[in-house]
Amino acid sequence: MIVVLKKNITASETEQLVQKLKESGCKFQLFGDGEPIIRICTQQPLLSKDFFLSQPGVQDVLRITPPYELARKEPDKPDTVIRVGDLEIEPAHFLMIAGPCAVESEEQIFGIAKQLSRLGVRFLRGGAFKPRTSPYAFQGLEEEGLRLIRKAADQFQMKIVTEAVSSAHIPLVAEYADMIQIGTRNMQNYQLLKSAGKQKKPVLLKRGMNATIDEFLLAAEYILQAGNSQVILCERGIRTFEKATRNTLDISAVPLIQQLSHLPIIVDPSHASGKRSLILPLSRAAIAAGADGLLIEVHNQAELAKSDGPQSIDFQAFEELLASMNELAPFLGKRIL
Ligand code: PEP
Ligand code: MN
């Protein structure tokens, strides 16, 4: 961090600032020639940008490293490998997560798991706790939904990705799930992020629909900082002025996050577009942009789906999508997992 001091800073203001720096344990250097500045070298920002901005005699504060210490990419350090039970998701993998928006019944989740596992999908998604905009909309089967998706996944040797909507539910969801999803509406639920960070299951963190890339990576930082290094990021579209799609897929977030962070980043074209007809082209865009995987909503009877029917694709469309990903993956140095 560079702290630029005012040209007319007094000797006593400088002295007081230096004293506070010494007391904080920050390593720093004071340069007095020309524009007076303090260069602070610290692994963790022991004193915040706001602290310096509120000190008399300080003109400006410039960060030269990003605020997310643990999520940031470091030269010479490999990208994160995610361990899900006996499976390892490596940087060369292209992860396919598929399933319905919500677990609706035993018949529904078993039927979908059976078809997806037949196509080689290893990760089954399905919400048991659903964060719905309206309190009148289907809220999910809760623990019964967790039990059903676990049973279906076990029968077809699949792993489960399912959402936790509150920190109180984390122990319960962690008991059933192989990977815990934190949804867009909860990306800044800091208690939930901390609770997910304190348990051992990998976390799929979706980007807040209004979150900047910095805020997204800082949300991941909460989980890492609480002790869980196993975080997969998911770009799922952001809110813009455009109403023709449910959200706007920020495809540039994919290569940008890969430059900024060692965490894998996958794409959810289902919630990004809200439109079945856009899932295949956006999936192609995602793999071409270098994404580490996809999260796709698939339903056996989308016309009867209790949530997100219009964006859910059927098995035939999913099979076509998978064939397309298999064709494109080698060009990107990826293998489908
Ligand atoms: C979901 O994955 O079904 C979901 C609710 O996603 P998001 O949080 O991205 O809206
Ligand atoms: Mn959904």
Side-chain angles (χ1 to χ4, degrees), residues 99-102 125 127 130-132 163 181 185 206 236 246 268 270-271 295 297 307-309 311-312:
C101 180
R125 62 147 290 146
K130 293 302 302 173
R132 304 304 301 280
E163 182 162 355
Q181 177 173 318
R185 293 161 187 80
K206 299 186 94 175
R236 49 78 70 205
R246 186 174 176 184
D268 167 0
S270 307
H271 294 87
L295 180 136
E297 285 191 341
S307 58
D308 288 349
Q311 68 197 34
S312 301

Side-chain angles (χ1 to χ4, degrees), residues 11 13 26 39 76 80 95 102-103 119 216 261 269 271 283:
E13 282 169 344
C26 274
R39 181 164 194 265
D76 309 327
T80 291
L95 178 64
V103 181
L119 296 172
F216 189 18
S261 176
H271 294 87
S283 298

